[in-house]
Amino acid sequence: MSVLSKLWDRRRDRPVVTVAALVVLVALAVYPFVDWALRSVGVAAEFTFGDFGAYGGAVDRWQAGETLSPRNDDGGFWGPYLSPPVVVLLFAPFILFLEFHTAAKVWLLTSGVLLWVGLQALLAALGYDLRWYERLGLAWLLAGFHPVLLTAKLGQTAMFLAALLSVAGAALVRGGDDTDSPWPLVSGACTALVGIVKLAAAPVGAHLLHEPRRLKGAILATLPVGWLSIRLFGVDQHLTYLAVLRWGVGQGSGSARSPTLWLPPYYKPLSWLPASQAVRIAACLAVIALAILAVPRARATVFALGVAAFPLLTPQTYAYYFVALLPAAVVLLAGELDRDGRPEVVLVGLLLVHLHAYGLKFFVNSVHDAVPAFRALEPAYLLLQPGLWGNALIFCLAAVRVGQQLDPSALSLPDLSTGHEKAVDTED
């Protein structure tokens, strides 16, 4: 059965789910036209590929034998390349052989196609049979998801990372309980590659703690990549990258700039909380505990929990990180439909994430300027971030579902040499 058919079949017994699905579909379907209209009046940003320029500059400096991440005059790293040295190799084929704007467009087209294929693979692993028109529709809906458009305008890596996460999720589902299957190794390897490209995405590795074969796959992928990175870029470049990480954590743990200084990537999910860094650490520890204690059959939900934690708990986060929520939302939505749970929570979460950037701008710029009395709420403007509540809905739903499937015996140590789990699966 296709996804649309399954949602449509719920229209009588679960009308709220059907309405929520239709609203999300319409919002995504019309947004490319909305974005075009906003660009025509100078509200929405153009396709400048500014962040892709940072990757291109790193490739040029690598070729010239210079440091990949030069410091600014103030000692920080705003603007230059901020990724691990080995990630330069991902962009070198595009930068070295193509003109800048062509390279950026080819990179984004490649990333978009990979995400489109990866989500189809995930849906197929979950048992959904897409019709040809649904496959084409999925491509259009992806183009209408604002975080996808945002990452395309900047030339960022978010679509590529979400594609890897989609493949990781599909491999996780296909691996099942078969201890001889290679799919868990594939899932772990793809997850590790996400963390290598964007270390801030570390929470997506929660499912690696849930099952030793996936952890083994992550290790097997990381070791050769780490060796290659040291071999090609040397120790000094990696010491500089450690300085970049320390600087980034410091930037993320400080107070957030006012939302009235809005930019499209603006997203400060937890900066309004006292001791926000301590809250992030505590939440990450809770995710780790849930991942370790969950029964084996909760693997897909643990995967969704870790992925949803990524944009919410990372110290320095941006709105284009929301692209990673797509595979998490697919997994959660499928699970909620199967258990006759709360799929509308996932759909509302996605809608809020989609509306995040310009919804926030509406409150802190348009309403702020038009209604002077509204300015009294400025200390609470950070609570008006739609993406915060959308991300939190998806994260909390995943946490609740994992929490409903805990097994304290999972605290026994896994045997990495055999790949067999010590915890015993239990029946519902």
Side-chain angles (χ1 to χ4, degrees), residues 5 13 62 162 221 230 274 301 310 356 413:
S5 298
D13 58 327
W62 175 46
I230 296 291
T301 316
F310 160 41
H356 167 75
L413 294 176

Side-chain angles (χ1 to χ4, degrees), residues 26 119 193 204 222 338 342 391:
V26 171
L119 287 175
L193 292 176
V204 304
T222 301
D338 288 343
R342 296 292 181 183
N391 196 167

Side-chain angles (χ1 to χ4, degrees), residues 24 30 144 328:
V24 172
V30 303

Side-chain angles (χ1 to χ4, degrees), residues 146-147 150 262-269 318-320 322 350-363 382 384-390:
H146 178 262
L150 178 60
W262 176 90
L263 286 173
Y266 188 98
Y267 179 45
K268 305 294 181 184
Y318 302 95
Y320 48 79
F322 287 142
L350 268 182
L351 182 63
L352 289 172
V353 165
H354 170 64
L355 298 174
H356 167 75
Y358 290 104
L360 179 62
K361 179 177 175 61
F362 172 75
F363 287 120
L382 286 169
L384 300 178
Q385 299 179 87
L388 163 63
W389 302 108

Side-chain angles (χ1 to χ4, degrees), residues 239-281:
L239 293 176
T240 300
Y241 179 62
L242 291 177
V244 170
L245 290 178
R246 288 193 294 270
W247 170 81
V249 171
Q251 293 292 317
S253 59
S255 58
R257 74 179 206 163
S258 172
T260 57
L261 304 173
W262 176 90
L263 286 173
Y266 188 98
Y267 179 45
K268 305 294 181 184
L270 300 180
S271 299
W272 51 276
L273 286 171
S276 59
Q277 196 73 329
V279 173
R280 293 186 187 101
I281 292 172

